[in-house]
Amino acid sequence: MILCAGESLIDMVPEGAHYRPLPGGAVYNTAIALGRIGAPTGYLWPISRDGFGEMLLRPLAEAHVDTGLCPRSDRLTTLAFVTLTGGEARYAFYDEGSAGRMLAPEDLPEIPESVSALFVGGISLVPDPCGAAIEALVERLHPRVPVMLDPNIRPFFISDETGYRARLERLLARADLVKLSGDDLEWLMPGARFEEAAAAILAKGAKVVLQTGGSAGARAHWQGAPLDAPATRVEVADTIGAGDTFNAGVLAALHQSGALSRAGIAALTPETLLRALTLGTRAAAITVSRPGANPPWRHELDALPA
């Protein structure tokens, strides 16, 4: 089972003069996408007992995502008010004292042996105590399962830049797969070319650095020559959840290939990695073609023209 540990929230998406509440959150979106694609998936994050918490649980159940590790909380659900400019999403978070933010390392459950890979990232890495909890989970699991990290950096959410950069350094040293967008790179290593950044991250121990670029497609930096997968051309509604769905496509393809293990990641072939890149870009294309974070189901991917 691929375990996704990190934030869920409600995206308040503009709809005319009003806002429409939609389930979201970077790690939550990846869990939903993995489940819809058909990969065995678990989710770990506190879910509020408020009405929004129930709204978050329904899509997880529909996608057959295991929520047995999710504690329930009387604290409120995080809200993210979305601003769309040219289809690009920007966010304002209402998170202080929320159910997820107050997850502490001592609240982490025992992780079953059925967990075979771990995905983390997003704003859940930024504040404490939840950031410390996710880091503790990575520390606990990375010796036995591969870890994928997508920092999905939101600069306006970061109040302690020094502490957050130190946490990312520690997590990068324990991750097997790292995904970065151009915005992530600009904040993480200002002025660096992606090739330089990827080489630096690979030197810390990662096996693959995934570079996403919207309409430019995706590139994998690894021990061999870089591999590229083109973007699938679609009419873009908005970019909410695109990178999260890409992550799910990559993980699902690696799982389907039998490569989603520490040994499998270390022995990746160009063919296996390119299949993972391609499924990631194809899945993301469907997500951006419709409003909000609404990842594709397996049958939709199968119906997409090659």
Side-chain angles (χ1 to χ4, degrees), residues 1-3 69 111-118 141 144-145:
M1 182 173 73
I2 303 167
L3 180 63
L69 294 175
I111 305 301
E113 288 296 317
S114 58
V115 169
S116 54
L118 176 65
L141 292 185
R144 75 171 180 89
V145 306

Side-chain angles (χ1 to χ4, degrees), residues 124-136:
S124 56
L125 304 179
V126 180
D128 286 327
C130 65
I134 297 300
E135 186 175 354

Side-chain angles (χ1 to χ4, degrees), residues 146-163:
V147 175
M148 181 173 182
L149 167 68
D150 176 7
N152 200 18
I153 296 167
R154 307 295 186 192
F156 51 81
F157 194 74
I158 301 164
S159 58
D160 178 7
E161 181 175 326
T162 300

Side-chain angles (χ1 to χ4, degrees), residues 33-57:
L34 273 166
R36 289 184 178 185
I37 292 172
T41 307
Y43 184 57
L44 168 55
W45 193 246
I47 302 291
S48 175
R49 292 188 179 91
D50 64 15
F52 287 135
E54 295 304 316
M55 186 181 294
L56 289 165
L57 284 172

